[in-house]
């Protein structure tokens, strides 16, 4: 029977450019490394196969459809707030549908064909738009690239977001569509046409987040993911807003009861780790206590955005607790409580000085040289930034500066080493080091400004660092004018932007 178009080209509405020819495999999709088979005029229906990825009490099944049927806009999706309370609702299992195509192939964004560029959508308006983007390897990759260290993290991110979107579409869709539209403006390559931020849709997403009712793991995952997308939208569209951190904390508070089990589930790292990192970093700066203390796990965590820093997070949490107590109680210098808190700071410092990231076997083979170097760089500069925070909790600006300068120069040195390789900047998608770089820039003028220019390929990170420059200048000016307090005292009155990781 005459082949007309393969699954992927038919689903992407690119049948006119499909190059099936005499082969059952589309030549264009083969070049793009997209798994496709030729579609025939008479469809034969097959039962879908599910590949289950079990982790503890939860599991995700990847639905691999052999048909390539596009999800209809009129189809109804189950709301998480109305999920069944049966035993299956507490385990992350496959969606109860097999008519949505799924091709989890390795992305190869740089080999984009001209016809694929022309087929890219101009906006994101419907649930079908969201599904199409999640299931399209190239589009998903370029939109989510700023939030992963490399392409090796893309396939799992696709699977997890696909499942959450399918099960939580009524709650998640509006916020996610606003996020998708916004991120078209931060592509390294013009694969998707840029669009204006949809503030109205983002506002509806925030309303959903505030009213979400969590009764199972699906709901918790939806709230955490929606919180992340809304955080990004707020940071990038409202540069002088202080609400971004509150969005993440709200999602963490909503999902707090489910998080202890979720953090034991490797496949959920894509959803859980980033908001915990964001909250911890913001709390370090604002001297607050994070919602979650990520206690050490039996497994080695390698995350798309947290990298190799999972075992450092508990120590950062402990810094927050001690810093918050010093802020609230303000014990007199030399008092018993003052000495007790500073003894605790000494203990945390000694632990962090000894800390080194855990690395699993086959790290380079699994994630690639450039992504691993980026993750190691992030781990090293976060360790130095934690030590710098501890130092400045003890000593105000202008006191014991040499020790602070040594730590700041260590951060600059690590980042400069990474930035020297053009391949690192080209082949690594994200470099979440805004917080350590900003801490170092408080101390020394010059190297940080040079690094901001060299790291412009990491668009989101460079944008956030640029917006923090005003506060950096305030801290420097305060030291030069004889300010006798710690720089944390300037946060409430002068820090008007978010402090992303």
């Amino acid at each position: 029977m005459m082949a007309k178009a393969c699954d992927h080209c038919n689903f992407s509405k690119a049948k006119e450019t499909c190059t099936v020819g005499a082969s059952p495999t589309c030549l264009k999709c083969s070049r793009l490394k997209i798994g496709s088979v030729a579609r025939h005029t008479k469809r034969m229906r097959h039962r879908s196969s599910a590949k289950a990825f079990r982790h503890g009490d939860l599991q995700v099944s990847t639905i691999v459809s052999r048909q390539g049927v596009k999800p209809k806009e009129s189809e109804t999706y189950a709301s998480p707030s109305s999920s069944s309370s049966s035993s299956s609702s507490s385990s992350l299992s496959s969606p109860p549908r097999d008519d949505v195509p799924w091709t989890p192939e390795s992305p190869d964004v740089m080999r984009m064909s001209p016809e694929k560029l022309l087929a890219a959508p101009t906006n994101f308006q419907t649930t079908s738009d969201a599904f199409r983007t999640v299931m399209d390897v190239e589009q998903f990759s370029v939109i989510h690239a700023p939030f992963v260290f490399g392409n090796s993290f893309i396939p799992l991110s696709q699977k997890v977001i696909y499942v959450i979107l399918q099960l939580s579409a009524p709650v998640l869709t509006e916020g996610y569509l606003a996020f998708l539209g916004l991120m078209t403006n931060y592509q390294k390559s013009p694969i998707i046409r840029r669009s204006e931020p949809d503030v109205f849709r983002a506002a509806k997403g925030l309303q959903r987040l505030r009213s979400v009712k969590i009764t199972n793991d699906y709901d918790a995952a939806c709230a955490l993911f929606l919180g992340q997308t809304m955080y990004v939208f707020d940071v990038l569209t409202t540069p002088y807003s202080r609400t971004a951190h509150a969005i993440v904390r709200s999602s963490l508070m909503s999902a707090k009861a489910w998080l202890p089990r979720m953090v034991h589930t490797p496949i959920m790292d894509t959803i859980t780790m980033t908001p915990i990192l964001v909250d911890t970093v913001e709390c370090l700066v604002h001297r607050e206590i994070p919602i979650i203390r990520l206690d050490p796990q039996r497994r080695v965590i390698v995350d798309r955005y947290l990298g190799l820093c999972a075992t450092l997070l508990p120590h950062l949490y402990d810094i927050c607790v001690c810093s918050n107590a010093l802020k609230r109680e303000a014990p007199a210098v030399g008092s018993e409580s003052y000495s007790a808190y500073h003894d605790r700071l000494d203990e945390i410092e000694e632990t962090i000085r000894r800390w080194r990231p855990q690395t699993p076997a086959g790290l380079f083979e699994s994630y690639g040289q450039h992504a691993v170097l980026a993750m190691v760089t992030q781990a090293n500069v976060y360790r130095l930034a934690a030590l710098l925070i501890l130092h400045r909790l003890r000593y105000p600006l202008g006191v014991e500066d040499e020790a602070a300068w040594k730590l700041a120069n260590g951060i600059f040195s690590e980042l400069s080493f990474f930035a020297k390789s053009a391949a690192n900047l080209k082949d690594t998608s994200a470099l979440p080091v805004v917080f350590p770089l900003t801490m170092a820039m408080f101390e020394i003028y010059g190297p940080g400004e040079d690094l901001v220019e060299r790291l412009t390929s990491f668009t989101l990170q460079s944008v956030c660092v640029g917006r923090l420059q005003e506060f950096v200048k305030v801290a420097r000016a305060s030291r030069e004018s004889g300010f006798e307090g710690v720089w944390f005292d300037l946060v409430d009155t002068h820090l008007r932007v978010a402090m992303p990781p």
Side-chain angles (χ1 to χ4, degrees):
M1 193 167 291
M2 184 73 66
K4 289 192 173 183
C6 68
D7 288 347
H8 188 270
C9 291
N10 179 72
F11 180 72
S12 303
K13 297 183 179 180
K15 291 183 285 187
E16 67 277 3
T17 62
C18 187
T19 55
V20 174
S23 170
T25 304
C26 172
L27 299 179
K28 181 183 67 174
C29 291
S30 295
R31 186 175 67 254
L32 295 174
K33 297 183 180 180
I34 299 173
S36 299
V37 295
R39 297 176 66 255
H40 294 81
T41 304
K42 184 178 180 180
R43 293 183 180 175
M44 297 190 64
R45 185 160 185 91
H46 301 273
R47 294 177 64 85
S48 64
S49 60
K51 298 180 180 180
F53 299 85
R54 291 185 177 275
H55 298 282
D57 295 332
L58 310 183
Q59 73 174 39
V60 168
S61 295
T62 303
I63 301 303
V64 184
S65 173
R66 299 183 182 180
Q67 284 191 218
V69 181
K70 181 177 179 180
K72 298 178 182 179
E73 181 64 23
S74 60
E75 291 172 341
T76 302
Y77 301 93
S79 170
S81 61
S82 61
S83 301
S84 172
S85 59
S86 64
S87 59
S88 61
S89 69
S90 62
S91 62
L92 193 57
S93 57
S94 62
R97 297 170 41 144
D98 61 359
D99 59 343
V100 181
W102 175 245
T103 55
E105 300 293 333
S106 299
D108 193 354
V109 178
M110 302 309 295
R111 299 175 62 182
M112 182 67 62
S113 61
E115 57 267 27
K116 187 69 179 180
L117 293 172
L118 294 174
T122 57
N123 52 34
F124 301 91
Q125 297 294 328
T126 66
T127 301
S128 293
D129 292 334
F131 271 109
R132 184 188 63 245
T133 303
V134 171
M135 290 184 288
D136 187 286
V137 177
E138 295 82 12
Q139 291 185 13
F140 183 91
S141 297
V142 297
I143 285 179
H144 292 81
F147 310 101
V148 298
F149 278 103
N151 284 342
S152 57
F153 291 96
I154 290 293
L156 180 60
S157 298
Q158 272 186 291
K159 294 174 187 177
V160 175
I161 294 174
Y162 170 80
V163 171
I164 294 173
L165 180 61
Q166 190 175 36
L167 297 176
S168 308
V171 174
L172 182 58
T173 297
E174 288 150 340
Y176 189 53
L177 287 172
F179 166 82
L180 293 176
L182 174 68
M183 292 310 299
T184 63
N185 297 306
Y186 295 91
Q187 304 170 74
K188 285 187 177 181
S189 303
I191 292 177
I192 304 173
R193 296 187 182 94
R194 299 171 185 245
S195 60
E196 293 297 320
D198 192 336
V199 178
F200 176 73
R201 196 178 294 277
K204 294 177 71 175
L206 281 176
Q207 290 177 354
R208 295 282 193 181
L209 181 61
R210 294 190 187 101
S211 60
V212 65
K213 296 180 180 179
I214 299 180
T215 60
N216 55 52
D217 299 310
Y218 298 124
D219 303 346
C222 173
L224 290 172
F225 184 61
L226 182 57
Q228 294 173 61
T229 59
M230 294 294 90
Y231 170 84
V232 172
F233 193 95
D234 189 86
V235 167
L236 295 178
T237 59
T238 317
Y240 293 103
S241 171
R242 301 185 184 184
T243 60
H245 184 205
I247 294 172
V248 171
R249 286 182 72 84
S250 174
S251 66
L252 285 169
M253 283 295 296
S254 299
K256 186 174 182 179
W258 284 264
L259 272 165
R261 182 172 60 182
M262 295 176 73
V263 297
H264 288 293
T265 310
I267 204 168
M268 292 306 295
D269 290 349
T270 294
I271 303 299
T272 58
M273 295 298 153
T274 297
I276 295 175
L277 174 63
V278 169
D279 183 38
T280 302
V281 166
E282 291 272 14
C283 286
L284 281 169
V285 174
H286 292 275
R287 307 183 75 175
E288 298 173 354
I289 300 178
I291 301 296
I292 297 295
R293 187 184 194 272
L294 182 63
D295 293 323
Q297 306 293 303
R298 294 181 179 179
R299 60 190 175 93
V300 178
I301 296 176
V302 182
D303 180 60
R304 62 177 178 91
Y305 208 66
L306 179 61
L308 302 170
C309 292
T311 53
L312 182 63
L313 278 186
H315 308 312
L316 300 184
Y317 181 97
D318 294 341
I319 295 176
C320 292
V321 171
C322 197
S323 177
N324 177 262
L326 285 169
K327 177 183 177 180
R328 287 185 294 103
E329 300 179 18
V333 176
S335 65
E336 185 176 344
S337 59
Y338 179 89
S339 299
Y341 284 127
H342 280 257
D343 287 344
R344 178 58 179 147
L345 292 177
D346 291 341
E347 293 173 2
I348 299 171
E349 178 181 3
E350 183 61 27
T351 301
I352 293 176
R353 287 193 182 278
R354 295 195 307 265
W355 178 85
R356 295 296 183 273
Q358 293 180 338
T359 55
L363 185 65
F364 284 93
E365 292 79 3
S366 299
Y367 301 101
Q369 174 183 348
H370 304 292
V372 170
L373 182 56
M375 290 189 284
V376 170
T377 299
Q378 182 201 36
N380 290 338
V381 297
Y382 261 79
R383 172 179 168 274
L384 292 169
L387 294 173
L388 186 53
I389 285 276
L390 288 166
H391 183 79
R392 283 308 181 195
L393 284 172
R394 297 189 187 95
Y395 304 106
L397 296 172
V399 178
E400 295 291 337
D401 283 345
E402 288 188 7
W405 294 342
K406 183 178 180 180
L407 292 169
N409 278 322
I411 293 173
F412 293 141
S413 177
E414 292 281 348
L415 294 176
S416 295
F417 177 81
F418 179 84
K420 283 179 181 178
S421 172
N424 289 334
L425 302 181
K426 177 182 177 182
D427 296 338
T428 308
S429 302
L431 191 64
V433 294
V434 173
F435 166 67
L437 181 56
T438 305
M439 296 301 99
M441 292 175 72
F442 286 158
E443 306 295 339
I444 302 174
Y445 174 80
E449 281 74 10
D450 294 339
L451 280 167
V452 170
E453 294 181 5
R454 295 170 68 181
L455 299 177
T456 52
S457 59
F458 303 101
T459 53
L460 291 183
Q461 284 80 33
S462 61
V463 166
C464 292
V465 172
R467 290 176 176 173
L468 285 161
Q469 295 311 293
E470 180 180 342
F471 184 60
V472 170
K473 293 177 181 177
V474 169
R476 290 172 178 166
S478 298
R479 177 168 54 192
E480 293 172 0
S481 63
F483 176 69
E484 296 182 351
V486 294
W487 65 257
F488 301 95
D489 296 335
L490 305 171
V491 169
D492 292 339
T493 54
H494 292 90
L495 183 58
R496 300 184 179 88
V497 298
M499 178 69 75

